Amino acid sequence: FTYVYPDEDSFYALCWNDTKENIKYGKAKPFIYKFDWEGNLNQIYQLNQCISYFCVSDNQLYAIGIREDDLELCLFEGKLM
């Protein structure tokens, strides 16, 4: 896991599940794992954007990452189902 975000009922962990080379060249897409505070895995979300940091509020994901085509810093937003 490369980043963890806690909230009141659970915590979310960013995981790449790929090689450093694929991550470096934008070939990998990350996952967010949702755990309860007992350590039980509740949900896995696969993202279609490369992100570095995120927060979650009311099942809404807010994230920042670098756009692959021009390396520009971008903001992403989406609903976690």
Side-chain angles (χ1 to χ4, degrees):
F1 298 109
T2 59
Y3 180 77
V4 176
Y5 179 80
D7 72 10
E8 190 173 308
D9 300 319
S10 55
F11 63 94
Y12 302 82
L14 182 62
C15 183
W16 286 90
N17 288 336
D18 213 321
T19 65
K20 287 182 182 182
E21 185 173 317
N22 283 344
I23 294 167
K24 179 180 178 180
Y25 293 109
K27 296 178 182 177
K29 299 296 184 226
F31 294 82
I32 293 178
Y33 287 55
K34 181 180 179 182
F35 297 92
D36 65 22
W37 283 108
E38 299 298 319
N40 300 306
L41 179 62
N42 291 332
Q43 188 77 35
I44 299 174
Y45 305 98
Q46 185 172 14
L47 305 179
N48 61 359
Q49 299 287 336
C50 294
I51 65 169
S52 299
Y53 301 101
F54 67 92
C55 65
V56 177
S57 178
D58 296 324
N59 285 329
Q60 188 75 15
L61 173 71
Y62 302 93
I64 59 172
I66 297 177
R67 194 167 48 213
E68 297 168 14
D69 55 349
D70 61 5
L71 301 179
E72 182 176 323
L73 186 64
C74 297
L75 300 175
F76 302 103
E77 182 179 342
K79 193 76 170 168
L80 296 177
M81 299 296 191

